[in-house]
Amino acid sequence: KAGVTQTPRYLIKTRGQQVTLSCSPISGHRSVSWYQQTPGQGLQFLFEYFSETQRNKGNFPGRFSGRQFSNSRSEMNVSTLELGDSALYLCASSTGHLSGANVLTFGAGSRLTVL
Amino acid sequence: GESVGLHLPTLSVQEGDNSIINCAYSNSASDYFIWYKQESGKGPQFIIDIRSNMDKRQGQRVTVLLNKTVKHLSLQIAATQPGDSAVYFCAEIVGGSYIPTFGRGTSLIVHP
């Protein structure tokens, strides 16, 4: 079956702009999580959506937001971009079981460069 | 390919050797642990997991060892192959949660 698809794969923005990233989960997966990956901070949890509701949130400013649609596809938005937002943004889908056995399947990521 | 970490610990091995990647986790309340592999230009991929009520689990060419006393996790890869070259992350999940917290990662380089 198809894996997790993220678009766009690469994008370049300037400071102050906003960006929207898209994620299509594995068919049947109802949970979508977003992570930011940078060389300095590693993989940092942004938020998780399940059945169109944000179920969990990491420690990022309000400029980072997301949503999930009825078909489980998800988008994340970053407004008023800063240089430090340059990163690989990873989306992961899972069944959403509320237990440790909630294995994430990641997409290839969207590489954002802020100039 | 894309670089996922410029300051990662690096383990260099020869093809055919056994590799051991170590991870120190932070939370004594963590009860579930996962190893992920991230190849250049790709997202992390699940390798193997282990619950805190176990101290060892084996997969195909991989073994995970858990030492709760010292909060240490290791991933052993037998007969390492060039295709095993990647960054390896351990992740921990605190009991009652389901959100993994990832470690910094270790870069494994396998020389043919």
Side-chain angles (χ1 to χ4, degrees):
Chain A
K1 56 184 177 182
V4 178
T5 303
Q6 291 189 245
T7 56
R9 287 294 313 277
Y10 303 91
L11 66 167
I12 300 173
K13 294 285 187 179
T14 57
R15 280 180 297 174
Q17 287 186 311
Q18 65 92 28
V19 66
T20 299
L21 309 177
S22 179
C23 173
S24 293
I26 288 175
S27 178
H29 282 187
R30 297 169 64 189
S31 170
V32 173
S33 300
W34 289 90
Y35 284 80
Q36 181 195 64
Q37 186 174 33
T38 59
Q41 298 298 319
L43 276 155
Q44 301 280 307
F45 172 71
L46 282 156
F47 29 66
E48 184 239 1
Y49 286 85
F50 181 84
S51 292
E52 302 179 64
T53 301
Q54 187 181 87
R55 192 165 63 170
N56 219 308
K57 188 178 186 303
N59 190 28
F60 276 81
R63 299 186 298 107
F64 293 81
S65 63
R67 60 177 175 169
Q68 187 180 34
F69 302 94
S70 58
N71 61 358
S72 293
R73 190 178 70 86
S74 177
E75 290 180 347
M76 68 162 283
N77 183 277
V78 188
S79 62
T80 319
L81 285 165
E82 302 176 358
L83 295 179
D85 297 333
S86 295
L88 181 67
Y89 289 89
L90 290 160
C91 164
S93 77
S94 72
T95 58
H97 290 147
L98 291 180
S99 72
N102 183 35
V103 175
L104 302 180
T105 301
F106 284 86
S110 293
R111 169 72 66 182
L112 170 64
T113 301
V114 182
L115 302 177
Chain B
E2 299 168 6
S3 170
V4 299
L6 299 179
H7 307 290
L8 294 175
T10 300
L11 175 65
S12 290
V13 301
Q14 291 295 128
E15 181 178 2
D17 287 351
N18 296 331
S19 302
I20 299 176
I21 300 171
N22 296 302
C23 175
Y25 64 92
S26 58
N27 196 327
S28 57
S30 294
D31 66 358
Y32 183 65
F33 305 88
I34 313 165
W35 280 100
Y36 285 89
K37 169 187 180 183
Q38 187 173 22
E39 297 174 89
S40 182
K42 299 183 179 180
Q45 177 185 10
F46 171 87
I47 302 174
I48 191 168
D49 57 0
I50 188 169
R51 291 196 176 278
S52 61
N53 60 356
M54 304 171 67
D55 52 22
K56 180 179 181 178
R57 190 170 187 210
Q58 289 184 290
Q60 190 172 26
R61 280 200 310 119
V62 294
T63 301
V64 56
L65 299 178
L66 174 62
N67 185 329
K68 295 182 288 295
T69 303
V70 295
K71 292 191 287 186
H72 184 268
L73 197 65
S74 69
L75 177 71
Q76 300 179 359
I77 305 174
T80 314
Q81 303 166 1
D84 294 326
S85 294
V87 177
Y88 289 80
F89 295 95
C90 66
E92 61 184 297
I93 299 180
V94 172
S97 174
Y98 57 95
I99 303 297
T101 299
F102 287 81
R104 293 300 306 278
T106 296
S107 177
L108 174 67
I109 299 172
V110 182
H111 301 281

